[in-house]
Amino acid sequence: MDRSCYPPLSKDIAAWERDYESGPLTENEFKQFFEDGFVIKHDLLKRDQLESVIRGIERAVDELAQDLYRAGKIENLHENVGFYQRLTAIDAQFPNASVLLHKRGVLPSEVASLWASDALLRVAKQLLGPDIAGHPVWNLRTKVPNQEQATVPWHQDTAYLDKECWNVLQVTAWIPLLDANRENGFLQMNSVLRGGHRPGKTCQHNCCAGGTWYVELSEEEMTKTLQIPINDQTVVTCEVPFGSVLFLNNLVPHRSTENFSEKIRWSLDLRWQKPDEPNGFYGLKENILMAKENDENFKLDWEQWSTINRTKLQEAAVHDSIKEQIKELQHDDPFDTTISGPWMHNWPIVHHNKHTEKLTTNSTSWHKS
């Protein structure tokens, strides 16, 4: 079905209703995604799928702990501490160790399998059409308790990407690895501005929020540009149980507040778009084709794509010369907890910190949360 006749983000809801095709999303859920800018699909993923991802993350945490231990950065590996506490214990010995895990840009095989799973791709096809590409920005969120670096202010996902993709529909799946509810301390963990995508505009953001690398969208700017009041009717808190998925439009404003619980709020961001549209990733890494219409022989090839570390690509991206790139990468500090990148050039830097300082020294790394 040809969906190119519709504007990419500010959709005619009635037209999209007519385009509904059966799949995991019901007709009402399909409509809600385009009308509100988000939808929660309950019980979409099986427990064994997510437990496999957890095992892959446990392996990554152990590798980080071993690296820190060998370098003399920590004295205790905390090998007997559980999945939802171990990184916090490591973080107590080496502050912002969680940021190091966030910066490791090689895709774990278990995450790749989930990303290309039938359950998720069927939803992506419902929203985007039969040809699907994975976007190079995927994220493992390491939201340890009481840490500013894990608190994400109001923003639109487009604010982190090049303007070339601001009119491209990119669908994000936010997947928690525990029950994201009030009982687990998730009070307003994920808040969404209902309908904030409908004007089709990317608001003015500022950089950077507090001591972080995040851009920030003020409530005043949201109200002025999007013409949507900020109140209890428009700001929706999304509770997402284990096995359920929050799907987001890339223009809908959202935020993630501080973790006051005793558990790490592990979660994933996975993204899709149409393969023939620009991804806004500053020319650094292409999409990966995940589904192709009417091609029974199509086979997804992770081998090369998943081993390309986008953090390393981004570190080299803003240097003035090849020699400077090589020199910088040779002196790369594997325990550097700063993050910076080209999205900082998109917006006024109204607050400087160690992350923006790293930007001015031409050493940058790609990551958003």
Side-chain angles (χ1 to χ4, degrees):
M1 183 173 297
D2 181 13
R3 300 169 184 246
S4 61
C5 59
Y6 305 128
L9 292 173
S10 185
K11 307 289 186 186
D12 172 13
I13 302 304
W16 276 105
E17 272 192 289
R18 291 194 297 272
D19 275 359
Y20 172 78
E21 295 179 1
S22 63
L25 296 181
T26 66
E27 200 162 350
N28 285 337
E29 290 168 338
F30 179 86
K31 179 179 178 180
Q32 184 193 344
F33 178 84
F34 290 103
E35 189 167 42
D36 293 346
F38 71 97
V39 68
I40 300 170
K41 183 61 190 179
H42 290 273
D43 302 319
L44 179 64
L45 302 174
K46 296 179 180 178
R47 177 168 291 275
D48 61 349
Q49 289 178 290
L50 296 180
E51 287 177 347
S52 174
V53 169
I54 288 172
R55 288 192 295 272
I57 297 172
E58 286 178 324
R59 185 177 65 249
V61 171
D62 189 65
E63 290 170 357
L64 174 63
Q66 296 290 345
D67 289 346
L68 289 166
Y69 184 80
R70 283 191 294 267
K73 304 291 185 181
I74 63 173
E75 297 180 354
N76 189 335
L77 292 169
H78 295 290
E79 293 175 288
N80 296 321
V81 178
F83 175 64
Y84 297 102
Q85 289 85 25
R86 186 181 182 189
L87 188 59
T88 303
I90 295 169
D91 213 74
Q93 296 179 80
F94 185 83
N96 295 320
S98 57
V99 176
L100 296 180
L101 191 63
H102 179 70
K103 287 177 69 173
R104 294 190 171 198
V106 176
L107 181 68
S109 60
E110 295 87 353
V111 175
S113 295
L114 179 66
W115 195 355
S117 65
D118 182 65
L120 289 177
L121 282 185
R122 288 179 65 207
V123 173
K125 289 177 181 179
Q126 283 186 283
L127 300 175
L128 291 162
D131 295 332
I132 300 295
H135 192 278
V137 177
W138 60 273
N139 285 299
L140 170 61
R141 295 179 182 266
T142 57
K143 202 173 183 72
V144 299
N146 303 304
Q147 189 192 81
E148 182 187 31
Q149 306 290 338
T151 302
V152 186
W154 282 113
H155 69 284
Q156 296 164 291
D157 285 347
T158 49
Y160 287 92
L161 296 171
D162 188 84
K163 290 182 180 180
E164 69 173 6
C165 75
W166 285 6
N167 285 323
V168 173
L169 175 58
Q170 295 170 337
V171 176
T172 295
W174 182 76
I175 305 169
L177 299 178
L178 72 167
D179 288 332
N181 55 32
R182 287 174 171 81
E183 286 70 27
N184 271 340
F186 278 79
L187 182 62
Q188 287 204 347
M189 183 196 170
N190 273 307
S191 300
V192 178
L193 183 66
R194 188 196 305 271
H197 66 303
R198 292 174 66 86
K201 296 179 180 179
T202 295
C203 299
Q204 170 80 30
H205 290 63
N206 290 320
C207 185
C208 286
T212 76
W213 58 89
Y214 302 125
V215 297
E216 184 169 21
L217 172 57
S218 71
E219 294 188 356
E220 293 76 13
E221 172 65 21
M222 279 195 289
T223 300
K224 180 182 73 173
T225 300
L226 304 178
Q227 296 294 299
I228 298 175
I230 310 299
N231 56 43
D232 292 342
Q233 283 69 50
T234 59
V235 176
V236 181
T237 298
C238 298
E239 294 195 34
V240 186
F242 186 81
S244 301
V245 179
L246 170 63
F247 291 95
L248 294 161
N249 182 295
N250 50 320
L251 271 181
V252 71
H254 55 286
R255 67 178 176 182
S256 175
T257 55
E258 191 165 350
N259 179 5
F260 292 111
S261 74
E262 296 180 355
K263 295 181 178 179
I264 299 168
R265 295 175 181 168
W266 291 105
S267 63
L268 296 168
D269 295 349
L270 305 174
R271 293 176 170 80
W272 303 269
Q273 65 171 73
K274 293 182 179 180
D276 59 348
E277 294 182 328
N279 65 22
F281 195 51
Y282 306 96
L284 296 175
K285 189 174 182 179
E286 296 300 320
N287 300 326
I288 181 168
L289 188 62
M290 290 189 168
K292 191 174 181 180
E293 185 179 22
N294 299 326
D295 186 350
E296 296 179 358
N297 297 318
F298 173 74
K299 184 178 180 180
L300 202 164
D301 183 10
W302 288 109
E303 186 174 354
Q304 182 177 1
W305 192 92
S306 64
T307 58
I308 298 173
N309 187 321
R310 70 182 187 275
T311 300
K312 295 297 184 183
L313 288 175
Q314 193 59 37
E315 286 173 342
V318 298
H319 295 302
D320 295 329
S321 69
I322 297 297
K323 287 183 178 179
E324 188 179 351
Q325 293 178 29
I326 295 171
K327 180 180 178 182
E328 191 67 39
L329 292 177
Q330 286 175 339
H331 292 85
D332 180 44
D333 178 5
F335 305 112
D336 175 18
T337 60
T338 59
I339 292 179
S340 54
W343 68 88
M344 292 178 173
H345 293 305
N346 291 346
W347 309 109
I349 298 180
V350 299
H351 177 76
H352 284 278
N353 56 38
K354 66 180 183 179
H355 304 285
T356 60
E357 181 182 357
K358 192 70 178 291
L359 180 71
T360 63
T361 62
N362 281 338
S363 179
T364 67
S365 57
W366 168 266
H367 264 283
K368 69 172 284 292
S369 183

